[in-house]
């Protein structure tokens, strides 16, 4: 479904797509690691962030080291490292950004711990859909019908996967559509259904 959204893009950028794909790969790896630590190792949210933060620092620090070691002119202007004066000028904003990032990591870890990684991914898909809707309505960006259809496919795929994992008897007894309705509404008439977003996978 994600590839369909790219295929309909009217201003495709190979560099942008590569950055997006690598970012999604690292994000998926981080979510899997968090799920293992929170479910398998039974770590709390702060301990999980403490374990994963050094690994993220090493990866990002490695990329910064490569950029810093490259000769002048070899790095695009958009990736050039700022000077010391710029760092000092924007130090308050950087500190605020770091604080918000830490709060986001802790809140995200708490969500995964008390719901599931699937619920977090599902909310991420909804966030992407809302972002696209805002860009269309406010910024007047062009979105093709194929892209809208692909976003709908993403939402349906995540919901279906979550439903199959959380309550297989519902699918056998009511069918796919009936099970989706039962899980979304919390129908417990057969004693097996649970609310979709409140179930831990």
């Amino acid at each position: 479904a994600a590839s369909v959204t790219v295929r309909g893009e009217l201003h495709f950028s190979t560099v942008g797509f590569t950055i997006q794909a690598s970012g999604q790969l690292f994000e998926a790896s981080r979510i899997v690691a968090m799920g293992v630590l929170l479910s398998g190792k039974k770590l709390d949210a702060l301990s999980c962030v403490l374990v994963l933060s050094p690994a993220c620092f090493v990866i990002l620090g490695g990329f910064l080291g490569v950029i810093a070691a490259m000769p002048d002119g070899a790095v695009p202007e958009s990736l050039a490292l700022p000077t010391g004066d710029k760092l000092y000028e924007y130090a308050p904003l950087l500190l605020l950004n770091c604080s918000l990032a830490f709060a986001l990591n802790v809140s995200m870890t708490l969500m995964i711990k008390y719901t599931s990684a699937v619920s977090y991914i599902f909310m991420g898909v909804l966030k992407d859909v809302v972002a696209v809707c805002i860009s269309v309505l406010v910024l007047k960006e062009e979105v093709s019908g194929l892209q809208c259809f692909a976003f709908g496919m993403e939402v349906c795929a995540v919901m279906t996967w979550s439903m199959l994992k959380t309550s297989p008897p519902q699918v056998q007894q009511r069918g796919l559509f009936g099970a989706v309705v039962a899980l979304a509404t919390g129908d417990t008439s057969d004693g097996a259904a649970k609310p979709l977003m409140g179930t831990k996978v």
Side-chain angles (χ1 to χ4, degrees):
S3 62
V4 177
T5 62
V6 175
R7 191 174 301 166
E9 176 60 49
L10 301 181
H11 307 286
F12 181 77
S13 171
T14 304
V15 176
F17 175 77
T18 303
I19 295 175
Q20 289 274 356
S22 60
Q24 290 294 327
L25 177 62
F26 284 112
E27 178 70 9
S29 302
R30 186 168 67 111
I31 293 174
V32 171
M34 291 175 65
V36 171
L37 291 174
L38 294 172
S39 300
K41 302 298 183 180
K42 304 296 183 182
L43 294 181
D44 59 273
L46 290 176
S47 298
C48 183
V49 173
L50 180 63
V51 170
L52 292 178
S53 294
C56 296
F57 175 79
V58 169
I59 294 174
L60 293 176
F63 281 115
L64 288 177
V66 171
I67 293 176
M70 296 179 69
D72 295 337
V75 180
E77 185 179 353
S78 58
L79 296 178
L81 297 179
T83 61
D85 294 336
K86 284 292 184 181
L87 289 176
Y88 180 78
E89 179 183 356
Y90 291 100
L93 293 178
L94 291 174
L95 291 176
L96 180 60
N97 188 22
C98 292
S99 301
L100 290 176
F102 176 75
L104 177 62
N105 284 328
V106 173
S107 61
M108 179 184 68
T109 307
L110 286 172
M111 179 178 180
I112 294 177
K113 181 177 179 63
Y114 292 106
T115 57
S116 67
V118 174
S119 298
Y120 172 75
I121 295 174
F122 180 58
M123 295 304 296
V125 173
L126 291 181
K127 177 199 69 175
D128 294 338
V129 173
V130 171
V132 171
C133 292
I134 291 177
S135 67
V136 172
L137 297 176
V138 178
L139 303 178
K140 307 302 181 181
E141 293 286 344
E142 298 181 8
V143 178
S144 65
L146 183 62
Q147 289 175 307
C148 296
F149 176 73
F151 273 117
M153 288 177 58
E154 289 182 345
V155 174
C156 293
V158 174
M159 289 184 63
T160 303
W161 189 92
S162 178
M163 176 195 62
L164 292 174
K165 289 293 185 179
T166 55
S167 188
Q170 286 286 346
V171 181
Q172 297 177 358
Q173 296 176 9
R174 304 191 182 198
L176 187 60
F177 180 76
V180 170
V181 174
L183 289 170
T185 58
D187 185 4
T188 57
S189 58
D190 58 0
K194 297 179 181 179
L196 181 61
M197 294 303 296
T199 305
K200 190 171 184 177
V201 180

